[in-house]
Amino acid sequence: MRVAVVNNCVPFLSGGAEHLADSLVTQLERHGHRAQLFRFPFRWNPLVKISESMLAASMCEIDVADRVIGLKFPAYYVQHDTKVLWLLHQFRQVYDLWGTEQGLEQTEEAEQVRHSIMRADNRCFSECQAIYTNSPVTRDRLAQYNAVDATVLWPPLGDADSLRGGDAGDYVLAHGRINSLKRQELVVEAMRHVRTGVRVVVAGAPETDDDEARLRRIVDEHGLGDRVELRMRFVDEDEKRDLLAGALACAYVPYDEDSYGYVTLEAFQARKPVVTCVDSGGIGLLVDHGVTGLVADPDPRALAAAFDELYRRRDVARAMGAAGLQRVAQLGITWDNVVEVLTR
């Protein structure tokens, strides 16, 4: 089968969605299909760019493929008779984030764009052969806002075998794309309140200059340079592998994340516990408090207490990391299952 995977693309940024798209193409080919990834550039500032991106995707017909698999807005608007969606998330700024600081500013123009997106989404969803989501969180949002039923299809890691465990070091690793929704500032602020020798390493590419400046300002204003290491750049797979192997734990504290996140899977594959927050959404699907990690209030002091606990109790941290790996195995998260479902 010839399969076209379509995803959006924010220039010079890469994160879990990009990793998943690349891995899906690789796995489709390993299972005997011909696969190719199509990336549609996407910008939302100024607002007119949203409409332009929607129009560009909807005018594209990939008629040489036997199957199209759409992942994200607006790429999933491409035309095809046998299109299926593996929805990672919609354009959340006009759905669950509307009316919050992370949503579009509520202007008359934004209202028009919002209604345009909802109409186009509903039309697209009605034309799809099947719709899957990456988590129950995404599935439930789809049902709430679009009255669409979908089936959860868990996303596996693309490079699980390359990750390894290692002796617990003295740092908590916060890796991945850096932006306001991922809330790395909570992790950095927590270092003002720790009572042990625990450190934090933040590793990843900032989405904007403001995202980087915000973290550097916290470090500078509070003299945290000896406790916080900022690697504010793209981290390749070899460097990430080493950082994971030497970490005490991983911190992943996004606001209302769609799924459990690749950061969580990577941490468990390296046998490291995960510290997250009660409002971090899909992360709670894998992080059980006191079993596979620690779940804290979205407050720097609460996170500091969690970091200190793991630092003091290394044996408990190791046990939680091992339990996390077991939890992933119990869910049966495999590429064999994903490919079979998306191509049947």
Side-chain angles (χ1 to χ4, degrees), residues 186-203:
L186 285 177
V187 176
V188 176
E189 285 273 9
M191 300 311 292
R192 299 173 56 193
H193 308 289
V194 296
R195 298 179 180 275
T196 65
V198 69
R199 299 188 302 116
V200 155
V201 177
V202 179

Side-chain angles (χ1 to χ4, degrees), residues 42 44 72 88-104 141 175-187 205-208 210-212 214-215 251-259 263 276-277 279-283 298 303:
F42 176 51
W44 56 86
K72 289 177 68 176
L88 306 186
H89 61 74
Q90 298 166 264
F91 188 49
R92 294 182 60 193
Q93 287 83 348
V94 301
Y95 285 103
D96 59 295
L97 296 179
W98 181 256
T100 72
E101 291 183 2
Q102 288 79 25
L104 296 183
R141 289 185 191 142
H175 68 289
R177 183 184 297 184
I178 296 170
N179 61 35
S180 59
L181 275 176
K182 303 298 184 183
R183 300 193 301 192
Q184 286 90 352
E185 66 269 18
L186 285 177
V187 176
E207 196 162 290
T208 68
D210 287 342
D211 292 320
E212 177 172 357
R214 184 171 61 251
L215 297 189
Y252 193 42
V253 297
Y255 172 72
D256 199 18
E257 182 82 334
D258 310 279
S259 71
V263 170
T276 191
C277 291
D279 62 350
S280 288
I283 316 304
L303 288 173

Side-chain angles (χ1 to χ4, degrees), residues 1 3 22-37 339:
M1 181 183 291
V3 183
D22 291 336
S23 298
L24 177 56
V25 169
T26 298
Q27 293 295 331
L28 284 164
E29 292 177 339
R30 287 179 180 174
H31 285 76
H33 302 283
R34 292 181 61 188
Q36 187 167 341
L37 175 62
V339 172

Side-chain angles (χ1 to χ4, degrees), residues 134-308:
N134 59 344
S135 78
V137 174
T138 310
R139 177 199 61 197
D140 293 346
R141 289 185 191 142
L142 195 60
Q144 177 182 354
Y145 294 104
N146 303 89
V148 170
D149 293 327
T151 302
V152 175
L153 184 61
W154 304 102
L157 278 177
D159 55 356
D161 294 338
S162 69
L163 299 177
R164 65 183 189 278
D167 293 336
D170 67 346
Y171 63 88
V172 173
L173 175 64
H175 68 289
R177 183 184 297 184
I178 296 170
N179 61 35
S180 59
L181 275 176
K182 303 298 184 183
R183 300 193 301 192
Q184 286 90 352
E185 66 269 18
L186 285 177
V187 176
V188 176
E189 285 273 9
M191 300 311 292
R192 299 173 56 193
H193 308 289
V194 296
R195 298 179 180 275
T196 65
V198 69
R199 299 188 302 116
V200 155
V201 177
V202 179
E207 196 162 290
T208 68
D209 291 341
D210 287 342
D211 292 320
E212 177 172 357
R214 184 171 61 251
L215 297 189
R216 294 198 182 280
R217 184 167 55 251
I218 296 170
V219 172
D220 293 342
E221 288 181 355
H222 300 287
L224 300 176
D226 60 336
R227 294 184 174 185
V228 178
E229 179 183 348
L230 299 178
R231 302 191 186 187
M232 311 284 274
R233 52 176 170 74
F234 173 74
V235 175
D236 65 27
E237 294 303 310
D238 289 338
E239 184 178 4
K240 180 171 65 177
R241 186 182 309 118
D242 291 342
L243 284 169
L244 282 164
L248 168 67
C250 290
Y252 193 42
V253 297
Y255 172 72
D256 199 18
E257 182 82 334
D258 310 279
S259 71
Y260 42 61
Y262 269 148
V263 170
T264 309
L265 283 186
E266 289 168 343
F268 288 165
Q269 192 66 36
R271 296 168 176 80
K272 305 297 179 180
V274 173
V275 179
T276 191
C277 291
V278 295
D279 62 350
S280 288
I283 316 304
L285 297 167
L286 291 183
V287 181
D288 296 327
H289 183 70
V291 179
T292 60
L294 296 177
V295 182
D297 290 331
D299 173 78
R301 293 181 186 275
L303 288 173
F307 298 165
D308 283 338

Side-chain angles (χ1 to χ4, degrees), residues 11 61 116 121 213 263 294:
E61 182 178 4
S116 175
D121 275 358
V263 170
L294 296 177

